[in-house]
Amino acid sequence: MQVNKVGVVGAGTMGSGIAQAFAVAGFDVVMRDISEDFVQRGLGTIRKSLERLASRDKITVEAKDAALARIQTATALEPLGDCDLVVEAALEDVDLKVKLFGELDTICKPEAILASNTSSISLTKIAAATKRPGKVIGMHFFNPVPMMKLVEVIRALQTDDEVCEIVEEVSSKVGKVPHVVKDSYGFVVNRVLIPMVNEGVNCLYEGLAQPEDIDEVMKLGANHPMGPLALADLIGLDIVLNVMETLYQGFEDPKYRPSPLLKQMVDAGYLGRKTGRGFYDYQKG
């Protein structure tokens, strides 16, 4: 099967980044979100990103213009009907994803591959919501998508071998490095990374050290480029909590219990960089 046209469901940070990566690589793209405002905001993000790359001579002006010309926007799912591959990048909510995949299954052509950018939710459960479970797979991109090389290719219990091979090949064409993993809560990256971040939050909650000290000791002692609390602020504390709850509920193992402080921060609306305040204050002049 040849993949020429790609649909992206969601025009937020991840969806717009995924759409940009495919468009730059020469694929025709349909980027869909639930409102015109959302899709135009996503398109604006892509335009700014491409202009920044062009100003740094990372791509030519002609390549920037060509990539933008390849992106079509939509507020309905029907325009995705003739796509060869659809990548869902909607909110990290299992019920929403199950509903979306059921709808995509009825709209998309029978041979189309349906992929999810989920960071922790069971692909096996998502696949079971369709009549083409063998053609459902995970494509977990990382933020910022245009820069980050990894794509975790997640095989649902039902995923066909051929589908996995096609998605690996497509990921490589987009300039990414695919690594295939089995379906399990959090997969590999988030199963290792997010509990580490959660333990950093627990260190603060228990008064072991101040945020700056917790981050610095991990940078200096473990050679991490960024400390766990600064990383949580970058990811978004709501997303960190969401992944921890998925791990905790999925494995029913207390080692994945979210930190009480993490829950409090999310309840307070202190979500990190995107709200101007998390473990650090980003509103200071």
Side-chain angles (χ1 to χ4, degrees), residues 258-280:
S259 170
L261 178 58
L262 179 61
K263 291 181 177 181
Q264 288 178 330
M265 295 287 282
V266 172
D267 287 344
Y270 302 155
L271 307 184
R273 287 181 179 270
K274 60 187 173 185
T275 59
R277 179 173 177 180
F279 294 110
Y280 298 95

Side-chain angles (χ1 to χ4, degrees), residues 127-153:
T130 75
K131 294 178 181 177
R132 64 178 86 191
K135 295 186 181 298
V136 174
I137 196 166
M139 289 184 77
H140 183 203
F141 291 82
F142 292 81
N143 188 31
V145 177
M147 303 294 121
M148 298 292 280
K149 287 291 186 181
L150 176 65
V151 172
E152 264 186 318
V153 178

Side-chain angles (χ1 to χ4, degrees), residues 86-104:
V86 176
V87 183
E88 169 271 319
L91 296 173
E92 193 73 349
D93 179 280
V94 63
D95 294 331
L96 174 64
K97 290 185 188 296
V98 165
K99 181 175 182 291
L100 259 176
F101 271 74
E103 292 173 349
L104 289 169

